[in-house]
Amino acid sequence: MAASSSSSSSVTIGRLMVTTCMSTSILLLASAKARLPKSDMDLLEFPLNLEYLEAEFFLYGSMGRGLDHIQPNLTGGGPPPVGVRTANLSPLVRDIIAQFGYQEIGHIRAIKSTVPGFARPLMNLSAASFANVINNAFGRPLHPPFDPYANDINYLIASYVIPYVGLTGYVGATPLLQTPTAKRLVGGLLGIESGQDAVLRTLLYQRAKERLIPYGVTVAEITNRISELRNKLGDAGLKDEGLINIDVGGEITGNILAANNRYWLSYGRTPEEVLRIVYQTGKEQHPGGFFPCGANGTIARQYLKSAK
């Protein structure tokens, strides 16, 4: 009987500890939200747009299902993405992309655990949306249209289009943040986003000289053109570099990581620059591209209001 009583007491104490810890976490979280100035909250919310986009693209591309099936409570009831589908990937690339997808789920959860956040915006992740990016990068329509979901290399090129923009947004936001809570969160997010970008660039660099069928252009040339397009749309100078032709030291022509070649620091972008690129319009007031109805959050919506 004594053993049973002791066991029962242990279970009760365990439950009390779990309940107390959960209550304490909730109180600490509420306190953290209350302490954040509005500028920090706005800057932390804004990246949700890119995190939603990356999560859906990676999850559907690797597993054929997205947030609505895996973590519906994080969508905020926002509309499902348009045109996204399973990609024809090799086991290795599928495994890597699935890991990216779950990392993005964590990022959404981390941001929405710190600030109120917003509902998932309408996103166009159709093959036509990515084909439009590639057409703009080359200044002409490619025939047949580029299909991001066709194979490994196409999907990796399509992945090159997205995460790096979010990475530069985090770098740009860092010096503007006021509180340790906000800086700690962005530092953690930036670390993983940088890792994703490095993996993608390495996988593409391995095939840099490979010609993309049926277009006859190399993988390196496509990455360079995408980077040039993002520089043009961002309209803020050089903040993007492809995989080849950046001379960093005489014999070295590879460019495995994008950074300024004097101090080797990551480039940063403002929210306005990010919007110009993901809208594919070059204007933060004019939605389109991956966000046909515009991005969500205070920062993005203020530009939509000013346009109206």
Side-chain angles (χ1 to χ4, degrees):
M1 291 295 292
S4 177
S5 175
S6 174
S7 175
S8 177
S9 297
S10 297
V11 170
T12 302
I13 292 171
R15 288 174 178 170
L16 285 172
M17 290 177 64
V18 170
T19 303
T20 302
C21 288
M22 291 178 64
S23 300
T24 302
S25 297
I26 292 170
L27 288 172
L28 288 172
L29 179 57
S31 177
K33 287 184 179 180
R35 288 196 303 268
L36 288 177
K38 189 171 187 310
S39 60
D40 276 11
M41 292 181 70
D42 291 346
L43 286 168
L44 291 179
E45 280 189 329
F46 179 76
L48 269 176
N49 291 292
L50 273 295
E51 299 291 0
Y52 277 128
L53 190 152
E54 293 174 33
E56 297 290 14
F57 183 60
F58 291 146
L59 292 172
Y60 269 99
S62 60
M63 296 182 288
R65 58 188 188 275
L67 289 173
D68 287 315
H69 295 86
I70 299 173
Q71 201 74 55
N73 62 306
L74 292 179
T75 69
V82 174
V84 66
R85 58 185 173 87
T86 311
N88 182 26
L89 303 177
S90 66
L92 173 64
V93 174
R94 186 178 304 282
D95 178 34
I96 291 170
I97 298 301
Q99 292 181 53
F100 285 2
Y102 276 101
Q103 289 163 11
E104 300 306 332
I105 289 176
H107 289 181
I108 296 170
R109 185 183 297 117
I111 294 172
K112 298 186 82 168
S113 294
T114 308
V115 294
F118 48 75
R120 175 182 57 191
L122 178 65
M123 298 177 293
N124 182 359
L125 294 173
S126 65
S129 183
F130 284 94
N132 188 58
V133 173
I134 303 302
N135 289 345
N136 289 337
F138 279 89
R140 58 183 172 83
L142 297 186
H143 297 288
F146 177 81
D147 181 358
Y149 301 106
N151 49 51
D152 276 359
I153 195 63
N154 282 27
Y155 192 85
L156 291 172
I157 289 169
S159 298
Y160 179 88
V161 171
I162 300 171
Y164 178 72
V165 180
L167 182 164
T168 57
Y170 283 130
V171 175
T174 299
L176 304 177
L177 298 170
Q178 300 179 40
T179 61
T181 297
K183 293 175 182 178
R184 184 164 48 249
L185 174 59
V186 167
L189 294 166
L190 178 57
I192 298 300
E193 293 291 335
S194 299
Q196 291 179 356
D197 184 64
V199 170
L200 291 170
R201 290 179 73 95
T202 300
L203 291 172
L204 288 167
Y205 189 70
Q206 289 176 321
R207 303 172 71 168
K209 297 180 181 180
E210 182 178 318
R211 295 193 176 275
L212 194 65
I213 299 172
Y215 309 115
V217 296
T218 65
V219 170
E221 182 180 354
I222 292 176
T223 62
N224 285 353
R225 286 181 177 268
I226 292 171
S227 288
E228 289 169 2
L229 174 65
R230 292 190 297 213
N231 281 326
K232 178 181 177 182
L233 291 171
D235 194 26
L238 175 65
K239 296 190 176 182
D240 219 303
E241 299 172 351
L243 297 173
I244 297 292
N245 296 330
I246 305 298
D247 188 357
V248 297
E251 297 180 358
I252 300 176
T253 58
N255 195 45
I256 198 68
L257 297 178
N260 73 68
N261 61 8
R262 183 176 183 184
Y263 297 115
W264 285 102
L265 301 176
S266 296
Y267 295 108
R269 285 191 169 104
T270 66
E272 295 82 2
E273 294 166 46
V274 170
L275 291 172
R276 293 169 197 162
I277 295 168
V278 297
Y279 287 172
Q280 293 293 304
T281 63
K283 296 185 181 297
E284 61 270 29
Q285 303 92 346
H286 297 162
F290 296 114
F291 295 91
C293 297
N296 270 346
T298 301
I299 294 175
R301 288 293 159 186
Q302 73 184 12
Y303 291 111
L304 297 180
K305 289 179 181 178
S306 68
K308 292 180 181 178

